[in-house]
Amino acid sequence: MEVKLAVLGGSGAGKSALAVRFLTRRFIGEYASNAECIYTKHLCLDGRQIHLEIYDPCSQPQRGKLSLTDELHWADGFIIVYDISDRASFAFAKALLYRIRESHIGACKKMAESSVFLVGNKQDLCHMREVGWDEGQKLAIDNKCQFCELSAAEHYQEVVVMFTKVLRTITSNFKVKEKRRPSGSKSMAKLINNVFGKRRKSV
């Protein structure tokens, strides 16, 4: 099974550090914000083999119009990251969520079934907090997505738990799609049989 995940956030929110922490267990504090990467990882989740692709785009400017067209069509799920010690990054996360929610109103079924997880990063900087936990929780509820706070720098296990939740949600959406297909196939087979059944018998 192939799963495509986009990790989005403003410059300095720690989205790249979060992705690399999950993939390698290592924490790297600084990344080039003008570089984009697609990381790949093979893993087993609940007995299923998964080929995971994580897209980490260039950090977009926190002002101006957001363009997520490619990500919205490519990804099965999104992790939106903000820095709890930087209110501007929270405002940017809010804009990202709005853009994703806006796309859900459209007719694209894949977008409507995509999974979104809001992450307040840098919990180790709690003494410099500018965004309250309750603010993150409310934003997640308003946008019908999951939410957590963690520290990519200090707690590898929390990062793994968060990614695992996202992947489980995405794969459960895949299972729903798989269940729908056979019933559709049976209906189509029945329709074909009704149309051509008599002709077969007459031959």
Side-chain angles (χ1 to χ4, degrees):
M1 176 186 291
E2 186 175 75
V3 176
K4 296 176 178 177
L5 195 56
V7 182
L8 309 175
S11 180
K15 63 182 178 62
S16 301
L18 197 70
V20 171
R21 183 71 148 148
F22 171 67
L23 294 164
T24 69
R25 293 177 174 250
R26 292 180 300 160
F27 174 73
I28 302 170
E30 292 185 9
Y31 292 84
S33 60
N34 61 343
E36 65 175 23
C37 298
I38 291 183
Y39 306 102
T40 61
K41 182 180 178 72
H42 290 277
L43 56 104
C44 183
L45 180 69
D46 302 329
R48 281 190 165 199
Q49 292 298 319
I50 293 175
H51 172 72
L52 174 63
E53 292 186 3
I54 299 178
Y55 176 53
D56 177 16
C58 305
S59 294
Q60 292 181 292
Q62 296 193 168
R63 292 180 181 179
K65 187 173 175 62
L66 280 171
S67 176
L68 293 175
T69 307
D70 292 340
E71 290 89 337
L72 288 168
H73 284 88
W74 179 84
D76 300 306
F78 300 89
I79 295 174
I80 309 298
V81 187
Y82 69 90
D83 173 358
I84 68 164
S85 66
D86 179 8
R87 182 156 288 279
S89 80
F90 182 67
F92 187 68
K94 188 183 290 188
L96 287 167
L97 286 171
Y98 176 79
R99 180 72 183 86
I100 292 168
R101 187 178 64 182
E102 191 180 45
S103 75
H104 285 190
I105 298 167
C108 182
K109 195 172 182 182
K110 183 178 178 182
M111 289 181 192
E113 292 178 344
S114 65
S115 307
V116 184
F117 210 116
L118 177 65
V119 177
N121 190 27
K122 305 192 182 182
Q123 205 178 38
D124 51 302
L125 300 180
C126 214
H127 56 290
M128 298 167 62
R129 180 188 287 276
E130 291 185 2
V131 183
W133 183 91
D134 55 332
E135 291 179 88
Q137 176 73 1
K138 184 180 184 304
L139 182 61
I141 291 169
D142 290 346
N143 288 275
K144 298 179 181 177
C145 64
Q146 300 181 73
F147 169 70
C148 75
E149 280 191 0
L150 50 73
S151 168
E154 293 191 349
H155 301 295
Y156 165 72
Q157 202 54 45
E158 288 181 359
V159 174
V160 171
V161 167
M162 183 273 294
F163 270 92
T164 302
K165 281 182 181 177
V166 176
L167 291 172
R168 280 209 173 104
T169 303
I170 292 170
T171 54
S172 68
N173 282 342
F174 286 172
K175 286 176 187 174
V176 169
K177 289 179 193 174
E178 286 170 6
K179 283 180 182 176
R180 284 178 189 153
R181 276 194 205 113
S183 61
S185 302
K186 284 175 187 173
S187 299
M188 184 57 71
K190 191 174 181 182
L191 179 64
I192 291 167
N193 190 55
N194 288 340
V195 174
F196 299 108
K198 290 179 182 177
R199 187 178 296 173
R200 282 199 205 98
K201 288 176 185 174
S202 65
V203 172

